[in-house]
Every structure is written in structure tokens, then in C-alpha cells.
């Protein structure tokens, strides 16, 4: 009986705590968790993904950075940015603003990503995105986004999640991140919270904190498919698709010119976890 | 690539260690060999992405190594159940539910269980 009462009291105590989990407390909790798991890692270094966890890989990566493979693509992104007059759609002419995305727009009641606004901007400027082959995710589109992120290097990520609807969308993203999915039955957290540093065959898993600082990224795997300097680029949501396919879950494609709302919510939550880290896009990755 | 000869050797070493005879093993040797193939197929078992075992090629380290399986799982059915649905023993496990989610057929799981039992 006594035990039961204690259990009931404990429940009463923890229940309100759980329901009071805020974005701030989520992040604090995760920071503490990783600090314990990886005592040797400097906090800012999480922005470097697996290279923060593994010396050998870091050496290879630093060698690649001596002749950054993304530079010709960023230059093309810059000229497209000018050609399509992207600057006029954004604050500060579109320069150095990536750290504030995604953000909650109270007018529309929706979360906006930089890529979502970029696509809307191109359409508003009368660009025939289909004819110009400007698709979310890769190629010319990703190059423009990569240029915009590049101009934001060194700025500190500052994603704001106000109370109300914004928090609701954040929580949807959080739920997505922790839910098991796909035939192989993995959650994002299984790989990027519970198993960072672990090897899946020859791939080392990175930490959830720091995964969003360097997008669009330039991946060797994507580069291998073509000869254009743009081929290696992909957006964060393209990467989500890759991880989802890995576990044989469905990739959530854009529809009617808009990014999938579940991925937008995921990006909102996921980017919040990198608050306080510096933008270092485009990152070079395998 | 490991040669079947080596596999038999490894299997017999385990058998010797456990003081068992080789006879029952060779009875299902073909099936265990089949199981190894399915287990090592990237699109099928891909066990090596998480588990190390004797002779594994670039194993991951997300999971305990598969060693002395016969000693630890005298009951092969238990081993099979772990492969069929590991979420039964641990709902949060990262090991995929090969049978429950239809990743592998019942027959394929039988063969893999035979193979794992030789490790």
C-alpha cells in the first residue's frame, strides 16, 4: 500500500514536469546528455558532425577543405541569386540571414524555412521554375540556398519558438524525430541521439546537435552522380529523405510547390537543437 | 569472402569447445551456409552492419558481438524469436524486426537462426 502511494505521488510529481517540457528544457537536457557521452568534445565542434567524434575522419575532411569542392558551385549560386533577383524578397537583401531560419510566421500561422521562402520568391519574381529546372533539394536551387547560407557563415543559429501554435509545430517535429518508422523500425533518435559515435558497418553516426549548421551541404556521394559543380549540393530535407530511405520509410516529397509540412516541422525542431552553434555551410560530407 | 571450409572449421572449433559432436551440425550445414549468405546480403539481413562475429567483414559496433551463441542460446527457438521480433525483448531496440515487419521470410529466418547457432 505504502509503495502504491509513493508511486502515485511520484506520478503526480513527474506528470506536470513532462507536460511542461519546453524547447529550452529539451535542448538543455540534450546538451547535458551529450556532454556526458562525449566529455572530450568542445560544444562548438558539434557543428562538424562526425568529424567532432573521430580523428581519422577529421584528418581526411580537413584535407578536403584545403581545396573546398563546393566553391565553384557557391559562385554559380551567387550569380543565379543575382540573376533571379532573390535579394529583393528577403531582409538584408538575403545576405547573412540563414541563422534565423526556420521561423514561425504569425501572419500565416506557419513555419517558414529558407528554402520554402526561396521557392516562393522565385515564383513571385516570375521565374518559370519548371523550365529553369529549379527543384527543392538539389542542383541550381540548392546552389542558391548554399550561397545564401555561405554568406551567413559564423553567425549564431537563433531559432525562436514562441508559445502557442509555433510550439505545437515544434512538438510535431519532435514527435517525428522520436517515432519509430520504416520497415527497419528506426527513429531519428535511435541513430542520432542514442547511438552517435557508433559504427553502422563503415558509417559513423553523428549527434543530433549540430546536424543542421551546414546545409545545403556538399556530399561526395551526390557529387559522384555527375560532372556539374552543382551536383554535390543537397538541402537538409534531401538528407532527411536519404535517412528515411535507409530505414525503408517513405521520403516525404514536396507537393504543389511546397515542402512537406512534416519535414518543415522536423526541420524546425531539429534546427532548434543547433541553437547557439555557428553556421558553417556548405559542409563537406561523405 | 570466407570459404565454407573455414566456416566448418570455426563451427567445429565451437563444437569442440562446447564438447559437442560435429554430427548434428553437419546435418544442417547446408542450411546454415544459406543462412550466412542471407545474413550477409546487404538487402536482406545485413547483420554485419551492427554485429561483429568471427570472420565478419567491416562489422559495425551498434550491437553485441555474436559469439558462443549455442552456449548462450541452447534453445534455437529463442534465437529465432530474437531475430523474428527483437522488439519483444526490448521495445526500444534498434535491431529491425526481421520477421514481424516482413523484411525476411520465415524460411530465411530459419536459415539465419541455423547459421547464428554455429557462431
Amino acid at each position: 500500500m505504502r509503495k502504491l502511494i509513493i508511486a502515485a505521488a511520484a506520478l503526480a510529481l513527474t506528470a506536470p514536469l513532462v507536460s511542461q517540457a519546453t524547447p529550452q528544457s529539451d535542448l538543455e537536457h540534450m546538451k547535458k546528455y551529450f556532454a556526458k557521452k562525449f566529455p572530450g568534445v568542445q560544444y562548438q565542434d558539434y557543428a562538424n558532425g562526425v568529424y567532432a567524434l573521430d580523428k581519422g575522419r577529421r584528418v581526411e575532411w580537413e584535407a578536403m577543405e584545403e581545396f573546398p569542392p563546393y566553391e565553384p558551385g557557391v559562385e554559380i549560386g551567387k550569380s543565379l541569386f543575382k540573376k533571379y533577383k532573390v535579394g529583393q524578397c528577403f531582409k538584408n537583401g538575403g545576405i547573412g540571414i540563414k541563422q534565423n531560419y526556420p521561423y514561425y510566421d504569425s501572419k500565416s500561422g506557419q513555419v517558414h524555412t529558407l528554402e520554402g521562402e526561396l521557392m516562393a520568391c522565385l515564383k513571385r519574381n516570375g521565374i518559370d521554375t519548371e523550365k529553369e529546372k529549379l527543384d527543392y533539394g538539389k542542383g541550381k536551387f540548392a546552389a542558391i540556398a548554399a550561397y545564401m547560407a555561405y554568406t551567413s557563415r559564423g553567425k549564431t543559429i537563433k531559432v525562436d519558438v514562441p508559445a502557442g501554435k509555433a510550439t505545437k509545430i515544434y512538438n510535431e517535429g519532435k514527435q517525428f524525430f522520436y517515432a519509430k518508422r520504416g520497415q527497419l523500425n528506426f527513429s531519428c533518435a535511435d541513430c542520432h541521439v542514442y547511438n552517435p559515435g557508433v559504427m553502422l558497418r563503415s558509417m559513423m553516426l553523428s549527434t543530433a546537435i549540430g546536424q543542421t549548421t551546414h546545409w545545403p551541404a556538399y556530399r561526395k556521394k551526390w557529387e559522384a552522380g555527375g560532372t556539374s559543380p552543382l551536383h554535390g549540393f543537397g538541402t537538409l530535407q534531401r538528407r532527411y529523405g536519404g535517412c528515411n530511405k535507409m530505414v525503408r520509410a517513405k521520403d516525404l516529397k514536396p507537393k504543389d510547390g511546397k515542402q512537406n509540412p512534416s519535414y518543415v516541422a522536423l526541420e524546425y525542431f531539429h534546427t532548434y537543437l543547433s541553437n547557439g552553434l555557428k553556421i558553417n555551410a556548405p559542409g563537406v560530407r561523405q | 569472402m570466407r570459404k565454407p571450409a573455414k566456416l566448418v572449421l570455426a563451427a567445429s572449433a565451437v563444437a569442440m569447445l562446447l564438447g559437442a559432436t560435429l554430427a548434428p551440425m553437419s546435418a544442417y550445414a547446408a542450411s546454415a551456409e544459406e543462412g550466412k549468405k542471407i545474413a550477409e546480403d546487404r538487402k536482406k539481413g545485413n547483420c554485419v552492419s551492427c554485429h561483429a562475429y568471427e570472420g565478419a567483414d567491416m562489422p559495425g559496433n551498434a550491437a553485441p558481438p555474436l559469439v558462443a551463441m549455442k552456449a548462450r542460446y541452447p534453445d534455437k527457438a529463442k534465437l529465432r524469436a530474437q531475430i523474428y521480433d527483437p522488439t519483444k525483448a526490448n521495445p526500444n531496440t534498434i535491431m529491425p524486426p526481421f520477421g514481424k515487419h516482413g523484411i525476411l521470410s520465415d524460411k530465411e529466418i530459419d536459415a539465419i537462426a541455423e547459421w547464428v547457432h554455429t557462431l
Side-chain angles (χ1 to χ4, degrees), chain A residues 130-252:
Chain A
E130 218 160 291
K131 202 167 131 223
E132 295 281 308
K133 293 209 169 68
L134 290 156
D135 297 324
Y136 277 118
K138 51 185 165 186
K140 290 200 285 185
F141 182 88
I144 300 170
Y147 165 68
M148 293 175 78
Y150 184 76
T151 67
S152 314
R153 274 193 174 186
K155 307 255 187 210
T156 302
I157 295 180
K158 198 171 161 289
V159 172
D160 190 27
V161 181
K165 174 116 192 259
T167 300
K168 190 173 157 268
I169 298 171
Y170 167 96
N171 281 327
E172 281 165 20
K174 178 177 166 182
Q175 200 165 20
F176 192 100
F177 191 82
Y178 283 97
K180 294 266 195 188
R181 69 169 42 76
Q183 196 185 28
L184 300 189
N185 204 43
F186 281 88
S187 68
C188 313
D190 280 339
C191 287
H192 299 299
V193 177
Y194 307 121
N195 286 292
V198 159
M199 306 288 296
L200 280 189
R201 212 181 259 256
S202 57
M203 299 176 297
M204 181 179 281
L205 295 167
S206 59
T207 57
I209 287 184
Q211 281 191 321
T212 67
T213 61
H214 46 277
W215 296 89
Y218 190 93
R219 285 186 75 197
K220 291 284 168 187
K221 176 178 170 167
W222 291 333
E223 179 194 63
T227 48
S228 141
L230 305 183
H231 222 86
F233 284 130
T235 62
L236 183 59
Q237 294 197 12
R238 182 180 181 191
R239 192 70 181 85
Y240 291 166
C243 284
N244 268 336
K245 278 187 213 148
M246 209 176 337
V247 303
R248 301 182 194 166
K250 222 171 68 194
D251 179 15
L252 305 175

Side-chain angles (χ1 to χ4, degrees), chain A residues 41-59:
Chain A
V41 174
Q42 295 284 320
Y43 193 67
Q44 283 296 331
D45 209 21
Y46 283 119
N48 297 320
V50 289
Y51 310 125
L53 307 181
D54 187 79
K55 269 224 174 87
R57 284 177 173 74
R58 188 180 192 103
V59 170

Side-chain angles (χ1 to χ4, degrees), chain A residues 35-107:
Chain A
K36 217 166 149 190
K37 203 172 168 88
F38 301 110
V41 174
Q42 295 284 320
Y43 193 67
Q44 283 296 331
D45 209 21
Y46 283 119
N48 297 320
V50 289
Y51 310 125
L53 307 181
D54 187 79
K55 269 224 174 87
R57 284 177 173 74
R58 188 180 192 103
V59 170
E60 275 175 35
W61 170 63
E62 281 170 352
M64 282 194 287
E65 277 287 348
E66 303 241 333
F67 301 96
Y70 49 79
E71 266 181 359
V74 168
E75 279 306 313
I76 295 172
K78 180 178 179 177
S79 61
L80 293 169
F81 176 91
K82 288 192 173 141
K83 177 178 163 196
Y84 298 136
K85 301 191 167 47
V86 172
Q88 69 191 32
C89 302
F90 290 90
K91 272 190 200 152
N92 201 37
I95 304 301
I97 57 169
K98 172 83 177 178
Q99 68 283 0
N100 301 320
Y101 285 83
Y103 71 93
Y104 176 72
D105 173 52
S106 54
K107 259 189 239 141

